[in-house]
Amino acid sequence: MTNCLDEMNTALVGLQWGDEGKGKVIDYLCRNSDVIIRFQGGNNAGHTVITGGKKFIFHLIPSGILHKNKICAIGQGVVIDPEVLLDEINNLQKSGVSVTPLNLKISPYSHIIMPYHRIIDSLREQKRIEKIGTTKRGIGPCYKDKVSRCGIRVADFITPEKFALKLKDNLREKNPIFKEAYGQEEFKFKSIYTKYKKLAEKIKPFVCDLTEYFYQKQKKRFLFEGAQGTFLDIDAGTYPFVTSSSVTAANALLGSGLPYIRIGKNLGVAKAYTTRVGEGPFPTEINGKYLEFLQKEGGEFGATTGRPRRCGWLDLVLLRRAVKVNNINSLVITKLDVLGGLKKIKVCTAYKAKGKKLKTFPYYLDKICPEYKEFSGWGQDVSKIKKFAKLPKTAKIYLNFIEKYLKVPISFISVGKEREEIFRKEVTC
Ligand code: IMP
């Protein structure tokens, strides 16, 4: 069933610290979209889609690729590890999914993650006093080179003389630093160049100037796929415990290179509780039996690194901030089923510091104390439910409270792992 909401171009973003279940929502929304574009991040992301008992994990390619007659694109705001991208293409093709230059387009302005980016990511993390807990995929160092204007773009990568020049220039600068600061062996130009030139040849057919290509296709329906979550955003997040890209909805057009598209809906995805991977403040974090319960029931282990996720209660103060930061006008609540086995559920409704309720969102989240409201659990499996009206009364109370607090309607609710275990709550146009 389609409705007025499906007619709008949509930006979909995570409202917490990533892992909100965006992959599954994207997969659902793809049915009513023609073009699906990733606009930031890299293979630090891991979107999981389970279909027909098969699990697909996407790190770079939009999960829309599983659908026929869709165009998927990787925008200029993304950083690409070519080995990971080619592996992903090969694995999809082996599973019978069609991935060709007709349905996958890669911006020539995206930047390439090189082996030295991955290594410096790990080395720097080891040496830092204030550790971030990065995914060690070379994301931060690659974005750093981009901003320093010594990065290697996809366009350079597929142009052998440019690639050779830029690689030489980078190694001339980086090798002495690596040796001096980290006692690391020098990177050899020849071995990297030979290996990466072959990868570039395989990627070349997919490269497409997205700004020009989609200019003629503005009537199509666009879905902008965000990775990570609002509080990992380089500007709006819990800096320095963030990723290195602009995660929020405002970057959807810039990061994809399509400034002429009008986005009608900013859809924010939030779990029915909260998780975080890596270091950094987390006001509603829990330990002990509730942590074990959520990790087990929610499968809270990173899709990219396998690290156990930190877990906590739903934080509405945090979500209210995310709603403003992204100008969210529609919500998706995921993993409602995970809370099914709990008798009591807590939700953070205010922050306190030095015994006083805070009236504004604090600059730092590490010293605040959450104030909770308690809800009764629903104590039953909700994964087969397809309608809001059929949910247990206590689950409806929980969801209605979230809507009322955030003053944003919930449009979709995800109630299970499987592709079909998601339904529309309401339509407001
Ligand atoms: P980086 O993006 O690898 O530099 O990692 C920076 C921080 O962002 C770390 O705390 C990571 O755990 C976190 N992070 C990066 N990507 C994701 C993601 O897709 N989901 C959840 N956390 C992420």
Side-chain angles (χ1 to χ4, degrees), residues 17-19 44-45 132-135 139 228 232 242-243 277-278 307:
W17 279 286
D19 308 319
N44 46 351
I132 295 171
T134 75
T135 58
I139 307 294
Q228 287 84 48
L232 288 174
V242 293
T243 190
V277 201
R307 290 180 290 176

Side-chain angles (χ1 to χ4, degrees), residues 256-411:
S256 50
L258 311 184
Y260 40 75
I261 300 295
R262 283 179 72 91
I263 295 179
K265 191 171 31 141
N266 287 343
L267 194 57
V269 186
K271 264 183 202 171
Y273 49 99
T274 314
T275 61
R276 172 162 208 173
V277 201
E279 303 302 319
F282 184 171
T284 61
E285 185 166 18
I286 46 181
N287 280 302
K289 63 175 187 181
Y290 285 116
L291 170 67
E292 279 168 31
F293 175 88
L294 290 174
Q295 278 177 338
K296 185 164 170 273
E297 295 301 312
E300 296 300 354
F301 298 88
T304 300
T305 58
R307 290 180 290 176
R309 296 178 186 141
R310 299 157 66 192
C311 296
W313 300 116
L314 186 69
D315 185 342
L316 287 178
V317 182
L318 202 74
L319 286 191
R320 185 158 60 189
R321 175 69 171 186
V323 163
K324 289 179 191 158
V325 164
N326 294 288
N327 191 26
I328 294 297
N329 41 31
S330 190
L331 288 170
V332 184
I333 301 296
T334 61
K335 294 198 155 184
L336 190 70
D337 55 305
V338 174
L339 299 179
L342 294 176
K343 284 203 175 71
K344 294 277 173 209
I345 298 163
K346 291 211 275 184
V347 171
C348 169
T349 53
Y351 286 164
K352 274 184 167 174
K354 294 182 187 150
K356 280 195 181 149
K357 244 189 215 182
L358 297 183
K359 291 204 173 79
T360 53
F361 194 75
Y363 297 156
Y364 300 100
L365 292 185
D366 53 352
K367 297 233 161 45
I368 60 101
C369 189
E371 191 174 272
Y372 289 110
K373 181 175 164 62
E374 205 169 78
F375 290 81
S376 297
W378 30 101
Q380 72 175 77
D381 175 20
V382 292
S383 62
K384 300 293 167 260
I385 292 175
K386 293 267 172 260
K387 266 190 182 153
F388 184 76
K390 300 265 185 221
L391 283 173
K393 194 174 164 207
T394 43
K396 283 194 262 191
I397 291 173
Y398 188 72
L399 294 167
N400 286 337
F401 184 81
I402 295 173
E403 267 188 339
K404 211 167 158 202
Y405 186 102
L406 297 176
K407 300 190 180 82
V408 180
I410 295 173
S411 44

